[in-house]
Amino acid sequence: GQNIDQPTEMTATEGAIVQINCTYQTSGFNGLFWYQQHAGEAPTFLSYNVLDGLEEKGRFSSFLSRSKGYSYLLLKELQMKDSASYLCAVPTGTASKLTFGTGTRLQVTL
Amino acid sequence: DAGVIQSPRHEVTEMGQEVTLRCKPISGHNSLFWYRQTMMRGLELLIYFNNNVPIDDSGMPEDRFSAKMPNASFSTLKIQPSEPRDSAVYFCASSLAAVRLPTQYFGPGTRLTVL
C-alpha cells in the first residue's frame, strides 16, 4: 500500500521561496502528483513526476527521487493567492487510482 | 470546455433521509472517482469506475453507501440512511485511463450536512 507524509502547515512571506516536502512508501511506483486546493474549492492538478529530477512549470517546480521515496514542490516568488493546501498523491495498481497525502496548508503573509 | 459537473453543490438533510449526489464526468474520460473529504481524514477514495464498471469499492464505508454509473456521462452516489458522521465534502473526479499516467480532474464538490 501507500504511506504518504507531508508537513501539516507552513508559513512563508510574499515574494519568498518555499519548499513543501512529501515522502512516500509504495509497493509499486507509477509516478507522483501534486495538487493545489484553495479553501472551499476542489483540488486542481499542478504537476506530476515519473522520472527522477526536477520538472519546472513557471513559478512552480516539482522534484522526485524514486530511490529515496521523496518529492518536493518548490514555489518561487510567492504571491498571496498561493495560500492554499498542497496535496501529493501516488497512483496505485493500475495507475488510475490515487492515494492522497493529508496535504500541507501554506499561508503566505505580507 | 465543461469540467466535471456535480449537483447539488450543497445539501442539508436530516438523519435517516436518503441522499443522492450526482456527477457528470468530462466528455471522453472513461474513469470516474468518488472521494470524500473531511478535516479529520483528508481526501479518501470511496469508489472508482473504469468504462462504467466499478473497479474498486474498498473505500465505501458501509452498506449505506452505494454508487452507480449507468452510462459514460453520469454517476450517482447514494447514502441511505444518512447519518451525521456522513457530513463531508464529496468530490467526483474523472480521468482518461488510456494514457500512461492519468491525471484526475475534480468537480466542485457537494457539501453535505446531515443534522
Side-chain angles (χ1 to χ4, degrees):
Chain A
Q2 275 78 9
N3 290 320
I4 302 174
D5 240 337
Q6 303 180 237
T8 305
E9 290 186 352
M10 299 182 72
T11 303
T13 307
E14 189 179 35
I17 299 173
V18 72
Q19 178 175 311
I20 301 174
N21 296 326
C22 172
T23 58
Y24 63 89
Q25 296 172 336
T26 179
S27 53
F29 185 79
N30 292 312
L32 185 142
F33 288 83
W34 284 97
Y35 280 78
Q36 179 191 57
Q37 186 176 23
H38 284 100
E41 297 183 10
T44 55
F45 168 73
L46 282 179
S47 68
Y48 71 72
N49 295 69
V50 178
L51 301 175
D52 290 352
L54 192 67
E55 294 278 344
E56 297 190 69
K57 222 180 192 182
R59 294 189 299 114
F60 291 8
S61 304
S62 56
F63 171 84
L64 176 67
S65 169
R66 289 173 293 173
S67 61
K68 295 181 179 176
Y70 169 68
S71 174
Y72 66 73
L73 183 68
L74 195 70
L75 290 74
K76 303 176 190 173
E77 301 168 17
L78 279 173
Q79 302 175 9
M80 298 299 289
K81 67 177 182 179
D82 297 329
S83 295
S85 287
Y86 293 86
L87 300 91
C88 65
V90 178
T92 308
T94 62
S96 290
K97 175 179 171 180
L98 288 179
T99 299
F100 282 83
T102 52
T104 298
R105 189 161 55 245
L106 173 66
Q107 184 172 2
V108 180
T109 61
L110 291 171
Chain B
D1 287 345
V4 176
I5 298 172
Q6 290 187 247
S7 65
R9 295 292 307 275
H10 301 272
E11 177 82 25
V12 180
T13 190
E14 292 189 344
M15 183 174 62
Q17 296 298 306
E18 177 179 295
V19 174
T20 299
L21 311 181
R22 297 173 177 79
C23 175
K24 178 178 167 54
I26 292 171
S27 178
H29 282 188
N30 58 351
S31 291
L32 183 140
F33 307 81
W34 282 102
Y35 290 89
R36 176 172 68 178
Q37 188 173 41
T38 60
M39 289 292 292
M40 291 295 293
R41 300 172 69 90
L43 195 61
E44 303 173 281
L45 178 67
L46 300 177
I47 185 172
Y48 83 94
F49 297 82
N50 269 0
N51 297 316
N52 314 338
V53 176
I55 302 300
D56 184 346
D57 66 353
S58 59
M60 296 286 260
E62 47 197 278
D63 292 346
R64 297 185 298 107
F65 286 68
S66 63
K68 293 182 181 178
M69 192 164 186
N71 57 62
S73 58
F74 183 66
S75 177
T76 59
L77 178 69
K78 187 175 291 186
I79 308 172
Q80 165 64 16
S82 58
E83 296 183 3
R85 60 190 167 128
D86 302 330
S87 297
V89 181
Y90 291 81
F91 289 105
C92 175
S94 71
S95 70
L96 181 61
V99 302
R100 180 185 175 187
L101 201 57
T103 299
Q104 293 185 22
Y105 296 91
F106 284 75
T110 296
R111 183 173 295 276
L112 174 65
T113 303
V114 183
L115 303 173

